[in-house]
Amino acid sequence: MTDTQRGANGRIVRAAANGWGETAVHHPSDTPGPAAQAAIGYAERLGWPLTPGFAVEDEACGCGEQECAEYGAHPVPGAWRLAACATPTLVRVVWRMCSDAPVLAVLGRPVPGASRLGAVQAPALIGVAALELLSKRSAAAGPAVDGHGRISFLVDLGVGPEDAEDAEADFECWQRAGLDLTVLGGSTTGRSYVPLPTPGFSGRAGVVWAVPPVQGHTLPPIAAVIEVFDRAVRSTYPSLWRTVHAKSA
């Protein structure tokens, strides 16, 4: 990874000093390659369930779609939710079979520092505004992934479904207004994965850490993060914010 990378929304993001998703430049032939090293590192330091995504060849996603919208950032077909693993030993075995695969975190499960791993995903403009606001609220600040024109904020969904359902209800007014704010991981039928920065996958739809994780830190509760998004929408789309609030008043 170079010193800086450009996120999908055009922001310049400096590589994290703590090496999240990074590997050394040289690897002996008997050790895992960069993508596998990144997966093992995430398992060791985060303990999140991981699954491999489609590899990329010649700027084309391995899924076969010529213009794949999730280029190198979606899982291969099959029981990927059930097969996702969090222990370094199992992750090493999986990535030995697909050494060039990008790393995806599977959501909706208990992980160290969270009752259930989830994500709040926002379009780039709203996401950048939310990042600025969250940087001033330590209780709600947590890791965030920037890629594919969106920013995903990793959160704790809580033990039961209520918190995620409340957050989804809060977002309904914005979705009806055309803003694609989404809660991920709260439902078994919706999208339940987030791509993590992986060496070799910084091409036309690169994924980088907007805010890198801190090992051993708990993830913010989803309710604390959701509160920020009303202000983020207000600062990004003030006219739309006033219209939506006028209708709901």
Side-chain angles (χ1 to χ4, degrees):
M1 184 182 292
T2 57
D3 289 340
T4 60
Q5 289 190 24
R6 186 175 296 276
N9 61 20
R11 297 170 60 246
I12 295 294
V13 182
R14 183 168 295 276
N18 58 6
W20 288 103
E22 295 185 24
T23 56
V25 174
H26 174 69
H27 297 277
S29 58
D30 59 344
T31 61
Q37 286 270 8
I40 295 166
Y42 287 135
E44 291 175 341
R45 290 184 278 183
L46 295 176
W48 295 353
L50 307 174
T51 193
F54 276 106
V56 174
E57 291 186 27
D58 299 325
E59 294 294 312
C61 183
C63 69
E65 292 290 335
Q66 293 298 315
E67 298 296 331
C68 177
E70 294 189 279
Y71 170 84
H74 60 113
V76 297
W80 54 269
R81 284 188 180 89
L82 297 176
C85 48
T87 59
T89 300
L90 290 176
V91 168
R92 186 183 297 271
V93 171
V94 170
W95 261 266
R96 187 176 295 155
M97 296 183 288
C98 50
S99 59
D100 296 325
V103 185
L104 310 179
V106 177
L107 309 176
R109 298 187 184 181
V111 297
S115 300
R116 275 194 304 156
L117 178 63
V120 175
Q121 198 171 74
L125 288 178
I126 298 174
V128 170
L131 283 173
E132 294 296 325
L133 294 169
L134 287 168
S135 67
K136 303 170 185 175
R137 299 185 57 177
S138 57
V145 178
D146 177 1
H148 298 263
R150 302 176 62 73
I151 299 180
S152 301
F153 299 79
L154 282 303
V155 299
D156 182 357
L157 291 175
V159 177
E162 295 82 9
D163 288 339
E165 290 173 355
D166 289 345
E168 291 168 354
D170 288 341
F171 277 174
E172 284 180 2
C173 63
W174 303 118
Q175 292 168 351
R176 288 195 296 269
L179 298 181
D180 190 12
L181 292 166
T182 309
V183 177
L184 305 180
S187 170
T188 57
T189 58
R191 175 172 169 175
S192 297
Y193 58 87
V194 167
L196 300 182
T198 307
F201 290 86
S202 57
R204 73 171 188 263
V207 177
V208 296
W209 287 112
V211 179
V214 178
Q215 185 176 1
H217 280 208
T218 59
L219 293 177
I222 187 170
V225 176
I226 290 296
E227 289 178 5
V228 172
F229 278 88
D230 184 77
R231 294 174 59 195
V233 173
R234 183 176 185 175
S235 65
T236 308
Y237 300 105
S239 296
L240 177 63
W241 183 91
R242 287 192 294 268
T243 299
V244 169
H245 276 267
K247 290 181 179 179
S248 59

